[in-house]
Amino acid sequence: MDLKIEPKKKIKGEVNVPGDKSISHRALILASIAEGDSKITGLLEAEDCLSTMNIMRKLGVEVIKKSKGEYTVKGKGIEGLKEADDVLDCGNSGTSMRLLTGLLSSQNFYSVLTGDHSLRRRPMQRIIGPLTKMGAEIFSRRGGLAPLSIKGQKLSGIKYKLPVASAQLKSSLLLAALQSEEETVIIEPAVSRDHTERMLKNTGVDLEIGSGKIILKKSKKRKLNPFNIKIPGDISSAAFFITAALTAEEGELLLKNVGINYSRSGFLEVVEDMGGDIELLNVREEAGEPTADILVRSSQLKAAEISGDIIPRLIDEIPLIAVLAVSAEGKTVIRDAEELRVKETDRISAVVNEFRKLGISIEEFEDGMAVDGPACISGGKTLESHHDHRIAMSLAVLALKTESAVTINGSEIINTSFPGFAELLKSI
Ligand code: S3P
C-alpha cells in the first residue's frame, strides 16, 4: 500500500497515542501464566501484539475481548499451558519470538516458532546460547535463524552477563528461569527497558534489582498473582508526533497519557538537548509505570552527539532523531547504535538510502550515521518502507517538511505497531 504525504507547515491539536507495545506483549504473556483472571485495558491492538495474543490462545489460554483495548485473560498458571497443535506464528514481532522462546523452553511440551521473512532473518542465537546453557533444547536454521523448534524441559538457573543491552534477551531469560527453582542473575551492560522486571514484581515474583543486576531469587514453585493493568500510551509512537510538532513551522501538540519510564525516555532527553520546547505535564504513576501528558511546540533545533549508554534507552527512536537532525543547525552524529542493523530491517542503511533520495547530506557508519542540517528537502519522490513500521512512519514525518508530496511504498507494515497512524497524522 502507498501512503502519500503532502508537505505541511502547521501542526496543531491533541493526540492520544495507542498503548505501549512492549508492555502490551508482556501483559498478555504474564497474565496467561498468572493464577486466575487478569484485566488489561489500553492494550495495543496492533499486528505484533495480536501475534502474541493468538499464540497464547493456541497454548490454551482464554483471552476475552470486552471492548476496544479491554481484555480479560484467564491465566492458567506457569504449568498450565498446553502444547499447540500447529506452528506458532510471530509475524513481524521480534518481541513475541524472543520472549516466547524463553517461556516455551521451560514448558513440558514441544513448540515451533516462526515469523515473516524479516523476522526469519533476525539473530536468535543471542537467546539460543544462554537458554541452551540453562538446559534448553532449541533447534534453528543455520546461524540461529527461525523457525525455532523447542523441546521444552526443566531448566536450571543461570548467571549471565548480557553481551548486548537487550530487553528482549533479558526478558527471554527471566521467563525461562521462572520455572527453575534455582537463582538466576542477569548482569546488564547498560539500562534497557525494564517493563518485564516491573511487571514480574507486581505479580509477586521475588526479584532484586540494582547496580546493573537483576536477581530472580531461589524459590520453590513460583506463582504469579493475576493483575489489573491500564497500559500507558507508547512513547515510541508518541515520538513520531513529537518530531512532527517540533519540526513544523507552526507547531503545538498535546500528547495525552504517554509512558515516560526512564529506560524508554532517552529520546526526550535528546530533544531537550537539541533545544526542543517540550514540557511534561501531570506527571504520575500508572500501573507501576511513570506517565505524563507531553506538550510540544515547534523549535529552532541544534545538532547533538548521541552515543554510549543512552542508546538502548532510545534505540527505536533513532530514525526519528535523524529526522530531527535534518531540521537542526549543525552536524548530528549518532554512534554505538550497531543494534539498528538487526532490527526489522537494517535501519542504518534504510535511513541513509531513503534520506539520500531526498537530497539530504547523510554519512553512514557501521554503528550509526551523521546528518548535516538544516537541509532543504526536495519532494516528489517515492520512498521505501523496507518492510519496517518505524522506517515507514519516520519517513512520513520527514515528508511533512518536503517541497512537494512524497509517496511511501509498503506502508501497510505500519499496522504492526500503529494502526490508525495515517489518520491520526491527518487529524493534526
Ligand atoms: C523491545 C526491545 C527492544 C526494542 C523493541 C522492543 C521489547 O529490542 O527495539 O522494539 O519489547 O523488549 P532489543 O531488546 O532487542 O534491543
Side-chain angles (χ1 to χ4, degrees), residues 48 51 90-94 115-116 118-119 122 344 387 389 413 416:
D48 276 10
S51 294
C90 300
N92 189 246
S93 172
D116 70 3
S118 148
L119 188 51
R122 295 182 65 187
E344 285 80 333
H387 196 65
H389 54 129
I413 194 68
T416 59

Side-chain angles (χ1 to χ4, degrees), residues 20-23 25-26 48 94-96 98-99 122 126 164-171 192-193 195-196 236 264 312 315-316 339-340 342-344 347 389-390:
D20 188 281
K21 180 153 85 76
S22 295
I23 301 178
H25 282 293
R26 288 155 172 85
D48 276 10
T95 307
S96 308
R98 294 203 176 105
L99 269 56
R122 295 182 65 187
R126 58 177 61 185
V164 274
S166 161
Q168 292 179 352
L169 170 53
K170 80 175 155 182
S171 303
S192 67
R193 64 194 68 193
H195 308 300
T196 306
S236 299
R264 296 284 300 281
I315 188 74
D316 290 343
E339 270 294 294
L340 287 183
V342 291
K343 294 293 177 189
E344 285 80 333
R347 286 186 177 155
H389 54 129
R390 298 201 196 282

Side-chain angles (χ1 to χ4, degrees), residues 399-417:
L400 297 170
K401 297 284 294 170
T402 52
E403 284 159 359
S404 56
V406 162
T407 300
I408 297 153
N409 273 341
S411 64
E412 64 282 353
I413 194 68
I414 290 173
N415 289 330
T416 59
S417 73

Side-chain angles (χ1 to χ4, degrees), residues 1 11 93 136 159 180 210 266 295 416-417:
M1 201 177 81
I11 299 278
S93 172
K159 181 164 184 190
S180 152
L295 180 64
T416 59
S417 73

